[in-house]
Amino acid sequence: MVAALPIVGGYAEYMCLPSDELVPIPPGLDHAEAVSLVLNYITAYQMIYRCAHTKLGEIILINGGAAGGVGTALLQLRKLANVIAGLRIVKST
């Protein structure tokens, strides 16, 4: 079994993609879990590099810390860079 995250057509029942765009799913790993892991990292990558345009060595604030899969992926992708993981403080009345 293989997984892919195409740019378009992701909800199609069948797709025809080049083999270099496919990733083999390791035996014993649930198919839905495999795709969800990849999706977290692609989302985090796009947030860091395509949206925020950060570069290695820059300090970034990950607001909310490592809550959830995308937050964890953000921290792991920036592990070699300077990362400050922060929590948003909400003042209650």
Side-chain angles (χ1 to χ4, degrees):
M1 191 60 73
V2 295
L5 287 173
I7 295 172
V8 295
Y11 291 110
E13 186 173 353
Y14 297 100
M15 296 185 74
C16 183
L17 296 169
S19 61
D20 61 345
E21 292 183 19
L22 305 174
V23 177
I25 297 175
L29 184 62
D30 181 68
H31 302 147
E33 290 175 334
V35 172
S36 68
L37 289 171
V38 173
L39 184 58
N40 287 334
Y41 285 87
I42 288 177
T43 302
Y45 179 87
Q46 289 183 356
M47 290 170 67
I48 292 171
Y49 299 107
R50 292 182 70 190
C51 295
H53 304 289
T54 62
K55 295 173 181 52
L56 289 176
E58 291 182 335
I59 297 174
I60 63 172
L61 170 67
I62 299 173
N63 195 14
V70 175
T72 301
L74 283 166
L75 290 176
Q76 290 177 348
L77 289 175
R78 295 298 292 195
K79 185 177 181 180
L80 297 176
N82 295 322
V83 175
I84 301 171
L87 297 175
R88 183 172 40 184
I89 299 172
V90 178
K91 196 173 195 178
S92 60
T93 56

Coordinates of all heavy atoms in Angstrom, one line a residue:
M1 N 0.8 -1.2 0.0 CA 0.0 0.0 0.0 C 0.9 1.2 0.0 O 2.0 1.3 0.6 CB -0.9 0.0 1.2 CG -2.0 1.0 1.2 SD -3.2 0.9 -0.1 CE -4.1 -0.5 0.3
V2 N 0.4 2.3 -0.7 CA 1.2 3.5 -0.8 C 0.3 4.7 -0.4 O -0.9 4.6 -0.4 CB 1.7 3.8 -2.2 CG1 2.8 2.7 -2.5 CG2 0.6 3.8 -3.2
A3 N 0.9 5.8 -0.1 CA 0.2 7.1 0.2 C 0.7 8.2 -0.7 O 1.8 8.2 -1.1 CB 0.3 7.4 1.7
A4 N -0.2 9.2 -0.9 CA 0.2 10.4 -1.7 C -0.7 11.5 -1.2 O -1.8 11.4 -0.8 CB 0.0 10.1 -3.2
L5 N -0.1 12.7 -1.3 CA -0.9 14.0 -1.0 C -0.8 14.9 -2.2 O 0.0 15.8 -2.3 CB -0.3 14.7 0.2 CG -0.6 14.0 1.5 CD1 0.1 14.7 2.7 CD2 -2.1 14.0 1.8
P6 N -1.6 14.6 -3.2 CA -1.6 15.4 -4.5 C -2.1 16.8 -4.3 O -2.8 17.1 -3.3 CB -2.5 14.6 -5.4 CG -3.4 13.9 -4.5 CD -2.7 13.6 -3.3
I7 N -1.7 17.7 -5.1 CA -2.1 19.1 -5.0 C -3.6 19.2 -5.4 O -4.4 19.9 -4.7 CB -1.3 20.0 -6.0 CG1 0.2 20.0 -5.5 CG2 -1.9 21.4 -6.0 CD1 1.1 20.7 -6.4
V8 N -4.1 18.5 -6.4 CA -5.5 18.5 -6.7 C -6.0 17.0 -6.8 O -5.2 16.1 -7.1 CB -5.8 19.2 -8.0 CG1 -5.5 20.7 -7.9 CG2 -5.0 18.6 -9.2
G9 N -7.3 16.8 -6.7 CA -7.8 15.5 -6.9 C -7.7 14.5 -5.7 O -7.9 13.3 -5.8
G10 N -7.4 15.1 -4.5 CA -7.2 14.2 -3.3 C -8.4 13.5 -2.9 O -8.3 12.5 -2.1
Y11 N -9.6 13.9 -3.3 CA -10.8 13.2 -2.8 C -11.3 12.2 -3.9 O -12.4 11.6 -3.7 CB -11.9 14.2 -2.5 CG -11.6 15.0 -1.3 CD1 -11.3 16.4 -1.4 CD2 -11.7 14.4 0.0 CE1 -11.0 17.1 -0.2 CE2 -11.4 15.2 1.1 CZ -11.1 16.5 1.0 OH -10.8 17.2 2.1
A12 N -10.6 12.0 -4.9 CA -11.0 11.1 -6.0 C -10.9 9.6 -5.5 O -10.0 9.3 -4.6 CB -10.1 11.3 -7.2
E13 N -11.7 8.8 -6.0 CA -11.6 7.4 -5.6 C -10.4 6.7 -6.2 O -9.7 5.9 -5.6 CB -12.9 6.6 -6.0 CG -12.9 5.2 -5.5 CD -14.3 4.5 -5.8 OE1 -15.2 5.2 -6.3 OE2 -14.4 3.3 -5.6
Y14 N -10.0 7.1 -7.4 CA -8.8 6.5 -8.1 C -8.0 7.7 -8.7 O -8.5 8.7 -9.1 CB -9.3 5.6 -9.3 CG -10.0 4.4 -8.8 CD1 -11.4 4.4 -8.9 CD2 -9.4 3.3 -8.3 CE1 -12.1 3.2 -8.5 CE2 -10.1 2.2 -7.8 CZ -11.5 2.2 -8.0 OH -12.2 1.1 -7.5
M15 N -6.7 7.5 -8.7 CA -5.8 8.5 -9.2 C -4.7 7.8 -10.0 O -4.3 6.7 -9.7 CB -5.2 9.3 -8.1 CG -6.2 10.2 -7.3 SD -5.4 11.2 -6.2 CE -4.8 12.4 -7.3
C16 N -4.1 8.5 -10.9 CA -2.9 8.0 -11.6 C -1.8 9.1 -11.4 O -1.9 10.2 -11.8 CB -3.2 7.9 -13.1 SG -1.8 7.3 -14.1
L17 N -0.8 8.6 -10.6 CA 0.3 9.5 -10.2 C 1.7 8.9 -10.6 O 1.8 7.6 -10.6 CB 0.3 9.8 -8.7 CG -0.9 10.6 -8.2 CD1 -0.9 10.5 -6.7 CD2 -0.8 12.0 -8.7
P18 N 2.7 9.7 -10.8 CA 4.0 9.1 -11.0 C 4.5 8.4 -9.8 O 4.2 8.8 -8.6 CB 4.9 10.3 -11.3 CG 4.0 11.4 -11.7 CD 2.7 11.1 -11.0
S19 N 5.3 7.4 -9.9 CA 5.8 6.6 -8.8 C 6.6 7.4 -7.8 O 6.6 7.1 -6.6 CB 6.5 5.4 -9.2 OG 7.7 5.8 -10.0
D20 N 7.3 8.5 -8.3 CA 8.1 9.3 -7.4 C 7.3 10.2 -6.4 O 7.8 10.8 -5.5 CB 9.2 10.1 -8.1 CG 8.6 11.1 -9.1 OD1 7.4 11.0 -9.4 OD2 9.3 12.0 -9.5
E21 N 6.0 10.2 -6.7 CA 5.1 11.0 -5.8 C 4.4 10.1 -4.7 O 3.6 10.6 -4.0 CB 4.1 11.8 -6.6 CG 4.6 12.8 -7.5 CD 3.6 13.6 -8.2 OE1 2.4 13.6 -7.8 OE2 3.9 14.3 -9.2
L22 N 4.7 8.9 -4.7 CA 4.1 7.9 -3.8 C 5.1 7.5 -2.7 O 6.3 7.5 -2.9 CB 3.7 6.7 -4.6 CG 2.7 6.9 -5.7 CD1 2.5 5.6 -6.5 CD2 1.4 7.5 -5.3
V23 N 4.5 7.3 -1.5 CA 5.3 6.9 -0.4 C 4.8 5.5 0.1 O 3.6 5.4 0.4 CB 5.2 7.9 0.8 CG1 6.0 7.5 2.0 CG2 5.7 9.3 0.3
P24 N 5.7 4.5 0.3 CA 5.2 3.2 0.8 C 4.8 3.3 2.2 O 5.5 4.0 3.0 CB 6.4 2.3 0.6 CG 7.6 3.1 0.3 CD 7.1 4.5 -0.1
I25 N 3.7 2.7 2.6 CA 3.2 2.7 4.0 C 3.9 1.5 4.6 O 3.7 0.3 4.2 CB 1.7 2.6 4.1 CG1 1.1 3.9 3.4 CG2 1.2 2.4 5.5 CD1 -0.4 3.8 3.4
P26 N 4.6 1.7 5.8 CA 5.2 0.5 6.4 C 4.2 -0.5 6.9 O 3.1 -0.1 7.3 CB 5.9 1.2 7.6 CG 6.1 2.6 7.3 CD 4.9 2.9 6.4
P27 N 4.5 -1.8 6.9 CA 3.6 -2.8 7.4 C 3.3 -2.6 8.8 O 4.1 -2.1 9.6 CB 4.4 -4.1 7.2 CG 5.6 -3.8 6.3 CD 5.8 -2.3 6.4
G28 N 2.0 -2.8 9.2 CA 1.6 -2.6 10.6 C 1.1 -1.2 10.9 O 0.5 -1.0 12.0
L29 N 1.3 -0.3 10.0 CA 0.8 1.1 10.2 C -0.5 1.3 9.5 O -0.6 1.0 8.3 CB 1.8 2.1 9.7 CG 1.5 3.6 9.9 CD1 1.5 3.9 11.4 CD2 2.6 4.5 9.3
D30 N -1.5 1.7 10.2 CA -2.8 2.0 9.7 C -2.8 3.0 8.5 O -2.0 4.0 8.7 CB -3.8 2.4 10.8 CG -5.2 2.7 10.3 OD1 -5.9 1.7 9.9 OD2 -5.6 3.8 10.2
H31 N -3.5 2.8 7.5 CA -3.4 3.7 6.3 C -3.8 5.1 6.6 O -3.2 6.0 6.2 CB -4.3 3.1 5.2 CG -3.8 1.7 4.8 ND1 -4.7 0.8 4.3 CD2 -2.6 1.1 4.8 CE1 -4.1 -0.3 4.0 NE2 -2.8 -0.2 4.3
A32 N -4.9 5.2 7.4 CA -5.3 6.6 7.8 C -4.3 7.3 8.7 O -4.1 8.5 8.5 CB -6.7 6.5 8.5
E33 N -3.7 6.5 9.6 CA -2.6 7.1 10.4 C -1.4 7.6 9.6 O -0.9 8.7 9.8 CB -2.2 6.1 11.5 CG -3.2 5.8 12.5 CD -2.8 4.7 13.5 OE1 -1.9 3.9 13.1 OE2 -3.2 4.8 14.6
A34 N -1.1 6.8 8.6 CA 0.1 7.2 7.7 C -0.2 8.5 7.0 O 0.7 9.4 7.0 CB 0.4 6.1 6.7
V35 N -1.3 8.6 6.4 CA -1.6 9.9 5.7 C -1.8 11.0 6.6 O -1.3 12.1 6.3 CB -2.9 9.7 4.9 CG1 -3.4 11.0 4.2 CG2 -2.7 8.6 3.8
S36 N -2.3 10.8 7.8 CA -2.5 11.9 8.8 C -1.1 12.4 9.3 O -0.9 13.6 9.5 CB -3.4 11.6 10.0 OG -2.7 10.6 10.8
L37 N -0.1 11.5 9.4 CA 1.2 11.9 9.8 C 1.9 12.8 8.8 O 2.4 13.9 9.1 CB 2.1 10.7 10.1 CG 1.8 9.9 11.3 CD1 2.6 8.6 11.3 CD2 2.0 10.7 12.6
V38 N 1.7 12.4 7.5 CA 2.3 13.2 6.4 C 1.6 14.6 6.3 O 2.3 15.6 6.2 CB 2.2 12.4 5.1 CG1 2.6 13.3 3.9 CG2 3.0 11.1 5.2
L39 N 0.3 14.6 6.5 CA -0.4 15.8 6.4 C 0.0 16.9 7.5 O 0.1 18.1 7.2 CB -1.9 15.6 6.5 CG -2.8 16.8 6.3 CD1 -2.6 17.4 4.9 CD2 -4.3 16.4 6.5
N40 N 0.3 16.4 8.7 CA 0.7 17.3 9.7 C 2.0 18.0 9.3 O 2.2 19.2 9.5 CB 0.9 16.6 11.1 CG -0.4 16.2 11.7 OD1 -1.4 16.9 11.5 ND2 -0.3 15.1 12.5
Y41 N 3.0 17.2 8.8 CA 4.3 17.8 8.4 C 4.2 18.7 7.2 O 4.9 19.7 7.2 CB 5.3 16.7 8.3 CG 5.7 16.1 9.6 CD1 5.0 15.1 10.2 CD2 6.8 16.6 10.3 CE1 5.3 14.6 11.4 CE2 7.1 16.2 11.5 CZ 6.4 15.1 12.1 OH 6.8 14.7 13.3
I42 N 3.4 18.4 6.3 CA 3.2 19.3 5.1 C 2.6 20.6 5.5 O 3.0 21.7 5.1 CB 2.4 18.6 4.0 CG1 3.3 17.5 3.4 CG2 2.0 19.6 2.9 CD1 2.6 16.7 2.3
T43 N 1.6 20.5 6.4 CA 1.0 21.7 6.9 C 2.0 22.6 7.7 O 2.1 23.8 7.5 CB -0.2 21.4 7.8 OG1 -1.1 20.6 7.1 CG2 -0.9 22.6 8.4
A44 N 2.8 22.0 8.5 CA 3.8 22.7 9.3 C 4.8 23.3 8.4 O 5.2 24.5 8.6 CB 4.4 21.8 10.3
Y45 N 5.3 22.6 7.4 CA 6.3 23.1 6.5 C 5.8 24.3 5.7 O 6.5 25.3 5.6 CB 6.7 22.0 5.5 CG 7.7 22.4 4.5 CD1 9.0 22.3 4.7 CD2 7.3 22.9 3.2 CE1 10.0 22.8 3.8 CE2 8.2 23.4 2.3 CZ 9.5 23.3 2.6 OH 10.4 23.7 1.7
Q46 N 4.5 24.2 5.3 CA 4.0 25.3 4.5 C 3.8 26.6 5.4 O 4.0 27.7 5.0 CB 2.6 25.0 3.9 CG 2.8 24.0 2.8 CD 1.5 23.6 2.1 OE1 0.4 24.0 2.5 NE2 1.6 22.9 1.0
M47 N 3.4 26.3 6.7 CA 3.3 27.5 7.6 C 4.6 28.1 7.9 O 4.7 29.4 7.9 CB 2.7 27.0 9.0 CG 1.3 26.5 8.9 SD 0.7 25.7 10.4 CE 0.8 27.0 11.6
I48 N 5.7 27.4 8.0 CA 7.0 27.9 8.3 C 7.6 28.6 7.1 O 8.1 29.7 7.2 CB 8.0 26.8 8.8 CG1 7.5 26.3 10.2 CG2 9.4 27.3 8.9 CD1 8.3 25.1 10.7
Y49 N 7.6 27.9 6.0 CA 8.4 28.4 4.8 C 7.6 29.2 3.8 O 8.0 30.1 3.2 CB 9.2 27.3 4.2 CG 10.1 26.7 5.2 CD1 9.9 25.4 5.7 CD2 11.3 27.4 5.6 CE1 10.8 24.9 6.6 CE2 12.2 26.8 6.5 CZ 11.9 25.6 7.0 OH 12.8 25.1 7.9
R50 N 6.3 28.7 3.5 CA 5.6 29.4 2.4 C 4.8 30.5 3.0 O 4.6 31.5 2.3 CB 4.6 28.3 1.8 CG 5.4 27.3 1.0 CD 4.5 26.3 0.3 NE 3.8 27.0 -0.8 CZ 2.8 26.5 -1.4 NH1 2.4 25.3 -1.1 NH2 2.2 27.1 -2.4
C51 N 4.2 30.4 4.2 CA 3.4 31.5 4.7 C 4.3 32.6 5.5 O 4.2 33.8 5.3 CB 2.3 31.0 5.7 SG 1.2 30.0 4.8
A52 N 5.1 32.1 6.4 CA 5.9 33.0 7.3 C 7.2 33.4 6.6 O 7.9 34.3 7.1 CB 6.1 32.4 8.6
H53 N 7.7 32.6 5.6 CA 8.9 32.9 4.9 C 10.1 33.0 5.9 O 11.0 33.8 5.7 CB 8.8 34.2 4.1 CG 7.7 34.2 3.1 ND1 7.7 33.5 2.0 CD2 6.5 34.9 3.1 CE1 6.6 33.7 1.3 NE2 5.9 34.5 2.0
T54 N 10.2 32.1 6.8 CA 11.3 32.0 7.8 C 12.5 31.3 7.1 O 12.4 30.6 6.2 CB 10.9 31.3 9.1 OG1 10.6 30.0 8.8 CG2 9.7 32.0 9.7
K55 N 13.6 31.6 7.7 CA 14.9 31.0 7.3 C 15.6 30.4 8.4 O 15.3 30.7 9.6 CB 15.8 32.1 6.7 CG 15.2 32.7 5.4 CD 16.0 33.9 4.9 CE 15.5 34.5 3.7 NZ 14.1 34.9 3.7
L56 N 16.4 29.4 8.2 CA 17.1 28.7 9.3 C 17.9 29.7 10.1 O 18.5 30.6 9.5 CB 18.0 27.6 8.7 CG 17.3 26.4 8.2 CD1 18.3 25.4 7.6 CD2 16.5 25.7 9.3
G57 N 17.9 29.6 11.4 CA 18.6 30.5 12.2 C 17.8 31.6 12.8 O 18.1 32.2 13.8
E58 N 16.6 31.8 12.2 CA 15.7 32.8 12.7 C 15.0 32.3 14.0 O 14.7 31.1 14.1 CB 14.7 33.2 11.7 CG 15.3 34.0 10.6 CD 14.2 34.5 9.6 OE1 13.1 33.8 9.5 OE2 14.4 35.5 8.9
I59 N 14.6 33.1 14.9 CA 13.8 32.7 16.0 C 12.4 32.9 15.7 O 12.0 34.0 15.2 CB 14.2 33.6 17.3 CG1 15.7 33.3 17.6 CG2 13.3 33.2 18.4 CD1 16.2 34.2 18.7
I60 N 11.6 31.9 15.9 CA 10.1 32.0 15.7 C 9.4 31.6 17.0 O 9.9 30.9 17.8 CB 9.7 31.1 14.5 CG1 9.9 29.6 14.8 CG2 10.3 31.5 13.2 CD1 9.3 28.6 13.8
L61 N 8.2 32.1 17.1 CA 7.3 31.8 18.2 C 6.2 30.9 17.7 O 5.5 31.3 16.8 CB 6.7 33.1 18.8 CG 5.6 32.9 19.9 CD1 6.2 32.3 21.1 CD2 5.0 34.2 20.2
I62 N 6.1 29.8 18.3 CA 5.0 28.9 18.0 C 4.0 29.1 19.1 O 4.1 28.5 20.2 CB 5.5 27.4 17.9 CG1 6.6 27.3 16.8 CG2 4.3 26.5 17.6 CD1 7.2 25.9 16.7
N63 N 3.0 29.9 18.7 CA 1.9 30.3 19.7 C 1.0 29.1 20.0 O 0.4 28.5 19.1 CB 1.1 31.4 19.1 CG 0.3 32.1 20.2 OD1 0.5 31.9 21.4 ND2 -0.6 32.9 19.7
G64 N 0.9 28.7 21.3 CA 0.1 27.6 21.6 C 1.0 26.3 21.9 O 0.5 25.3 22.3
G65 N 2.3 26.4 21.7 CA 3.2 25.3 22.0 C 3.0 24.2 21.0 O 2.6 24.3 19.8
A66 N 3.2 23.0 21.5 CA 3.2 21.8 20.6 C 1.9 21.0 20.8 O 1.9 19.8 20.8 CB 4.4 20.9 20.9
A67 N 0.8 21.7 20.9 CA -0.5 21.1 21.0 C -0.9 20.5 19.7 O -1.1 21.2 18.7 CB -1.5 22.1 21.5
G68 N -1.1 19.2 19.6 CA -1.6 18.5 18.4 C -0.5 18.2 17.5 O 0.7 18.4 17.7
G69 N -0.9 17.5 16.4 CA 0.0 17.0 15.4 C 0.8 18.1 14.7 O 2.0 17.9 14.5
V70 N 0.2 19.1 14.3 CA 0.8 20.2 13.5 C 1.8 20.9 14.4 O 2.9 21.3 14.0 CB -0.2 21.2 12.9 CG1 0.5 22.3 12.2 CG2 -1.0 20.4 11.8
G71 N 1.4 21.2 15.7 CA 2.3 21.9 16.6 C 3.6 21.1 16.9 O 4.7 21.6 16.9
T72 N 3.4 19.8 17.0 CA 4.6 18.9 17.2 C 5.5 18.9 16.0 O 6.7 18.9 16.1 CB 4.1 17.5 17.5 OG1 3.3 17.5 18.7 CG2 5.3 16.5 17.7
A73 N 4.8 18.8 14.8 CA 5.6 18.9 13.6 C 6.4 20.2 13.4 O 7.5 20.2 13.0 CB 4.7 18.6 12.4
L74 N 5.7 21.3 13.8 CA 6.4 22.6 13.8 C 7.7 22.6 14.6 O 8.8 23.0 14.2 CB 5.5 23.7 14.3 CG 4.4 24.2 13.3 CD1 3.4 25.0 14.1 CD2 5.0 24.9 12.2
L75 N 7.6 22.0 15.8 CA 8.8 22.0 16.7 C 9.8 21.1 16.1 O 11.0 21.4 16.2 CB 8.4 21.5 18.1 CG 7.5 22.5 18.9 CD1 7.1 21.9 20.2 CD2 8.3 23.8 19.1
Q76 N 9.4 19.9 15.6 CA 10.4 19.0 15.0 C 11.1 19.5 13.8 O 12.3 19.3 13.6 CB 9.8 17.6 14.8 CG 9.4 16.9 16.0 CD 8.7 15.6 15.8 OE1 8.3 15.3 14.7 NE2 8.5 14.8 16.8
L77 N 10.4 20.2 12.9 CA 11.0 20.8 11.7 C 11.9 21.9 12.0 O 12.9 22.1 11.3 CB 9.9 21.3 10.7 CG 9.0 20.2 10.1 CD1 7.9 20.8 9.2 CD2 9.9 19.3 9.2
R78 N 11.7 22.6 13.1 CA 12.6 23.7 13.4 C 13.6 23.3 14.6 O 14.2 24.2 15.2 CB 11.7 24.9 13.9 CG 10.9 25.5 12.8 CD 11.7 26.0 11.6 NE 12.4 27.2 12.1 CZ 13.0 28.1 11.3 NH1 13.0 27.9 10.0 NH2 13.7 29.1 11.8
K79 N 13.7 22.1 14.8 CA 14.6 21.6 15.9 C 16.0 22.1 15.8 O 16.6 22.5 16.8 CB 14.6 20.1 15.9 CG 15.4 19.5 17.1 CD 15.3 18.0 17.1 CE 16.1 17.5 18.3 NZ 16.0 16.0 18.4
L80 N 16.6 22.2 14.6 CA 17.9 22.7 14.4 C 18.0 24.2 14.5 O 19.1 24.7 14.6 CB 18.5 22.2 13.1 CG 18.6 20.7 13.0 CD1 19.1 20.3 11.6 CD2 19.5 20.1 14.1
A81 N 16.9 24.9 14.4 CA 16.9 26.3 14.4 C 16.5 26.8 15.9 O 16.2 25.9 16.7 CB 15.9 26.9 13.4
N82 N 16.6 28.0 16.1 CA 16.2 28.6 17.4 C 14.7 28.7 17.5 O 14.1 29.4 16.7 CB 16.8 29.9 17.7 CG 18.3 29.9 17.7 OD1 18.9 28.9 18.3 ND2 19.0 30.8 17.2
V83 N 14.1 27.9 18.4 CA 12.6 27.9 18.5 C 12.2 28.2 19.9 O 12.8 27.7 20.8 CB 12.0 26.5 18.1 CG1 10.5 26.5 18.3 CG2 12.3 26.2 16.6
I84 N 11.3 29.2 20.0 CA 10.7 29.4 21.3 C 9.3 29.0 21.3 O 8.5 29.5 20.5 CB 10.8 31.0 21.7 CG1 12.2 31.5 21.6 CG2 10.1 31.3 23.0 CD1 12.3 33.0 21.7
A85 N 8.9 28.0 22.1 CA 7.6 27.5 22.1 C 6.8 28.2 23.2 O 7.2 28.2 24.3 CB 7.5 26.0 22.3
G86 N 5.8 29.0 22.8 CA 5.1 29.8 23.8 C 3.7 29.4 24.0 O 3.1 28.7 23.1
L87 N 3.1 29.8 25.1 CA 1.7 29.6 25.3 C 1.0 31.0 25.3 O 1.5 31.9 25.8 CB 1.4 28.9 26.6 CG 2.0 27.5 26.8 CD1 1.8 27.1 28.2 CD2 1.3 26.6 25.8
R88 N -0.2 31.0 24.7 CA -1.0 32.3 24.7 C -1.6 32.4 26.1 O -2.3 31.5 26.6 CB -2.0 32.2 23.6 CG -2.8 33.5 23.5 CD -3.7 33.5 22.3 NE -4.3 32.2 22.2 CZ -5.1 31.9 21.1 NH1 -5.4 32.8 20.2 NH2 -5.6 30.7 21.0
I89 N -1.4 33.5 26.7 CA -2.0 33.8 28.0 C -3.3 34.6 27.8 O -3.3 35.7 27.3 CB -1.0 34.5 28.9 CG1 0.3 33.7 29.1 CG2 -1.6 34.9 30.3 CD1 1.4 34.4 29.8
V90 N -4.4 34.1 28.4 CA -5.7 34.7 28.3 C -6.0 35.2 29.7 O -6.0 34.4 30.6 CB -6.7 33.8 27.7 CG1 -8.1 34.5 27.7 CG2 -6.4 33.2 26.4
K91 N -6.3 36.5 29.8 CA -6.6 37.1 31.1 C -8.1 36.9 31.3 O -8.9 37.4 30.5 CB -6.2 38.6 31.0 CG -6.1 39.2 32.4 CD -5.6 40.7 32.2 CE -5.2 41.2 33.5 NZ -4.6 42.5 33.4
S92 N -8.4 36.3 32.4 CA -9.8 36.2 32.7 C -10.3 37.3 33.7 O -9.5 37.8 34.5 CB -10.1 34.8 33.4 OG -9.3 34.7 34.6
T93 N -11.5 37.6 33.7 CA -12.1 38.7 34.5 C -12.9 38.1 35.7 O -13.4 37.0 35.6 CB -12.9 39.7 33.8 OG1 -14.0 38.9 33.1 CG2 -12.1 40.4 32.8

